[in-house]
Amino acid sequence: MANFMDKLFGSSSKSASSTEEYTELDLGKYEEVWEDEPAETYVRVAELNNLNDLPGLKKEIYDGNILMIDISNIKADKLMLDRALKDLKDVVIDVHGDIAGLKEDQVLVTPTGVKIDRSKIFGGRY
């Protein structure tokens, strides 16, 4: 009966076959770097550890870059998190950009002219 339930709902323990089903993808061969060609907008991945990191993040937004910010290090401090998000939102309002939460620990911030579509695409459909 337990085997049937595991098949129906999935087993909580990992089996040897489940690790064999997944392979690591090397995406390096798909990435082409054109170092001589600058871009107008960059997608930057950032980490927010304290309020001292905010001036650099704000500069990136003012420079027209898109930021994916990891806020996991400040989530425990509700006051710091609220202040940081308020500061980022003020910059977004100033540049007419957008801000949205991604998952639990990430925030996406966009500059002028870039809006975040909050609907998900499933198999090519909204």
Side-chain angles (χ1 to χ4, degrees):
M1 182 70 167
N3 193 20
F4 172 73
M5 296 300 279
D6 287 345
K7 286 182 181 179
L8 185 61
F9 296 111
S11 174
S12 60
S13 64
K14 302 259 185 205
S15 65
S17 64
S18 69
T19 57
E20 295 169 2
E21 292 176 14
Y22 299 100
T23 59
E24 187 172 325
L25 296 177
D26 179 18
L27 298 178
K29 63 183 176 183
Y30 301 106
E31 297 174 358
E32 293 183 22
V33 178
W34 296 310
E35 294 178 13
D36 297 335
E37 296 183 29
E40 288 182 30
T41 302
Y42 291 92
V43 177
R44 304 242 190 229
V45 178
E47 194 173 282
L48 185 58
N49 295 308
N50 57 51
L51 296 177
N52 295 333
D53 297 336
L54 283 173
L57 299 177
K58 290 179 185 180
K59 182 181 181 322
E60 290 291 335
I61 299 164
Y62 281 119
D63 288 346
N65 295 317
I66 299 168
L67 298 180
M68 289 183 59
I69 305 171
D70 179 0
I71 58 169
S72 61
N73 293 330
I74 65 166
K75 273 187 71 173
D77 187 343
K78 179 78 171 144
L79 186 63
M80 185 185 303
L81 178 63
D82 289 344
R83 174 147 181 227
L85 292 176
K86 182 193 175 304
D87 283 0
L88 290 171
K89 188 170 183 173
D90 289 344
V91 173
V92 165
I93 290 169
D94 190 33
V95 300
H96 303 287
D98 205 354
I99 185 169
L102 298 176
K103 300 190 180 182
E104 293 182 13
D105 295 336
Q106 292 181 338
V107 175
L108 182 64
V109 184
T110 64
T112 305
V114 180
K115 296 296 178 190
I116 301 167
D117 184 357
R118 285 155 174 84
S119 60
K120 291 185 179 182
I121 300 173
F122 295 100
R125 294 173 293 169
Y126 291 94

